[in-house]
Amino acid sequence: MRDFHAHSNYSDGRFLSRMVRAAQEAGLEAFGFTDHCSVSSREAMQHARASMGFNLDITYERRRDSIERLRREVSGIEIYDAVEMDYDPRDESEISDFLTEAAFDYALGSVHSVDGLNVQYPSDFEEMSSNELDRFVDRYFENLVSLIESELFDVAAHPDLIERTPVLRGRATETHYRRAARAFADSRTVPEINAGRALREEGIVHPSSPFLDILREHGTRVTIGTDAHHPDEVGERAVFLDNFLQETGIEPVTPLD
């Protein structure tokens, strides 16, 4: 069992050593740190980056030194040096330059915002009509497909993140899913099974069952991630993913493949 999506104190998670210790206690063979990062030069993204501290482009070398030290000190588990990058089609040049420079073990790409609206902030959608919400979901999937087709990333993280927001949940259609599945089929980028909300009350697994069924129909490979931000989340989410894989018969790939 490996976890390819987790966070540390270099973005919005906990100390590297505590996260690795939790992964060891959970019996994981490998653990990947994928801290958030935004390299956009646009003002709105710079503001969000400053407020959230998603500046791994400045701190990745310092984090890499810490990971190398943990690799020397900790036995029985592989530790990966990776990134979760905010994606917007307008930022492809900056993203490409940074990923080339940083040379991470692998890279996750995420669509967190569309047209300046954060997908996970319900307050951003309070004044929207039903038609406007549907158009936003259209734009989300346009950006997701653009992310996949960019070939910048090994993994598309939580590929239906809109499901976390109640007013957007359930608005994705089979047409959206099939368009994304076709893009994945033609790309090196793979989606992940993400357990970040699986054990909360809403019980959301990314991708949703209808989306996952269509991805499997297209022969799309998938990887896995707990999306853990706290040591207490690692073990229980790893168990959930292990059970999920056994129930579905899915054999995940690694981003390093």
Side-chain angles (χ1 to χ4, degrees), residues 9-35:
N9 55 300
Y10 281 84
S11 59
D12 54 351
R14 298 300 187 270
F15 289 119
L16 290 161
S17 58
R18 292 183 60 198
M19 297 296 288
V20 169
R21 191 178 308 120
Q24 282 184 298
E25 292 171 356
L28 296 180
E29 297 177 4
F31 194 65
F33 285 110
T34 56
D35 284 299

Side-chain angles (χ1 to χ4, degrees), residues 128-170:
M128 283 192 180
S129 67
S130 182
N131 286 339
E132 289 172 329
L133 292 170
D134 287 340
R135 285 196 293 273
F136 182 85
V137 172
D138 288 342
R139 290 283 295 128
Y140 173 84
F141 277 92
E142 287 172 8
N143 280 18
L144 175 63
V145 169
S146 182
L147 180 157
I148 300 164
E149 292 178 342
S150 75
E151 299 291 356
L152 289 169
F153 306 101
D154 302 286
V155 178
H158 35 60
D160 53 354
L161 189 63
I162 53 173
E163 295 299 313
R164 294 188 183 182
T165 303
V167 294
L168 301 176
R169 190 175 304 149

Side-chain angles (χ1 to χ4, degrees), residues 12-211:
D12 54 351
R14 298 300 187 270
F15 289 119
L16 290 161
S17 58
R18 292 183 60 198
M19 297 296 288
V20 169
R21 191 178 308 120
Q24 282 184 298
E25 292 171 356
L28 296 180
E29 297 177 4
F31 194 65
F33 285 110
T34 56
D35 284 299
H36 292 284
C37 184
S38 174
V39 293
S40 173
S41 58
R42 289 176 290 111
E43 184 177 352
M45 292 302 295
Q46 286 290 317
H47 175 73
R49 161 198 169 103
S51 62
M52 299 295 291
F54 293 170
N55 54 3
L56 193 65
D57 57 315
I58 296 174
T59 61
Y60 77 92
E61 291 176 310
R62 190 181 315 157
R63 191 192 69 168
R64 183 165 292 165
D65 288 343
S66 298
I67 288 175
E68 289 294 347
R69 185 167 58 254
L70 283 170
R71 286 169 171 166
R72 292 191 298 269
E73 295 173 351
V74 177
S75 60
I77 186 170
E78 292 182 70
I79 305 172
Y80 300 129
D81 172 24
V83 64
E84 181 178 1
M85 178 67 65
D86 279 346
Y87 174 81
D88 185 292
R90 294 170 290 181
D91 303 325
E92 283 193 7
S93 178
E94 292 98 325
I95 293 170
S96 178
D97 289 346
F98 173 63
L99 292 179
T100 300
E101 168 197 319
F104 292 106
D105 292 333
Y106 58 89
L108 277 59
S110 297
V111 179
H112 287 117
S113 298
V114 177
D115 299 332
L117 300 178
N118 190 300
V119 172
Q120 299 182 84
Y121 291 175
S123 59
D124 283 355
F125 307 98
E126 289 177 347
E127 305 301 321
M128 283 192 180
S129 67
S130 182
N131 286 339
E132 289 172 329
L133 292 170
D134 287 340
R135 285 196 293 273
F136 182 85
V137 172
D138 288 342
R139 290 283 295 128
Y140 173 84
F141 277 92
E142 287 172 8
N143 280 18
L144 175 63
V145 169
S146 182
L147 180 157
I148 300 164
E149 292 178 342
S150 75
E151 299 291 356
L152 289 169
F153 306 101
D154 302 286
V155 178
H158 35 60
D160 53 354
L161 189 63
I162 53 173
E163 295 299 313
R164 294 188 183 182
T165 303
V167 294
L168 301 176
R169 190 175 304 149
R171 290 183 177 272
T173 66
E174 181 178 340
T175 299
H176 291 129
Y177 295 152
R178 290 196 177 277
R179 182 182 178 191
R182 287 194 297 270
F184 278 122
D186 294 333
S187 174
R188 74 180 184 92
T189 305
V190 298
E192 66 165 1
I193 298 173
N194 180 293
R197 294 293 186 277
L199 298 178
R200 298 189 183 184
E201 184 177 350
E202 57 267 36
I204 297 168
V205 180
H206 303 289
S208 65
S209 293
F211 195 3

Side-chain angles (χ1 to χ4, degrees), residues 3 5-8 12-14 19 31 33-34 194-196 225-235 237:
D3 181 4
H5 184 165
H7 298 274
S8 78
D12 54 351
R14 298 300 187 270
M19 297 296 288
F31 194 65
F33 285 110
T34 56
N194 180 293
T226 64
D227 204 352
H229 291 69
H230 191 281
D232 293 343
E233 298 170 342
V234 176
R237 293 184 186 181

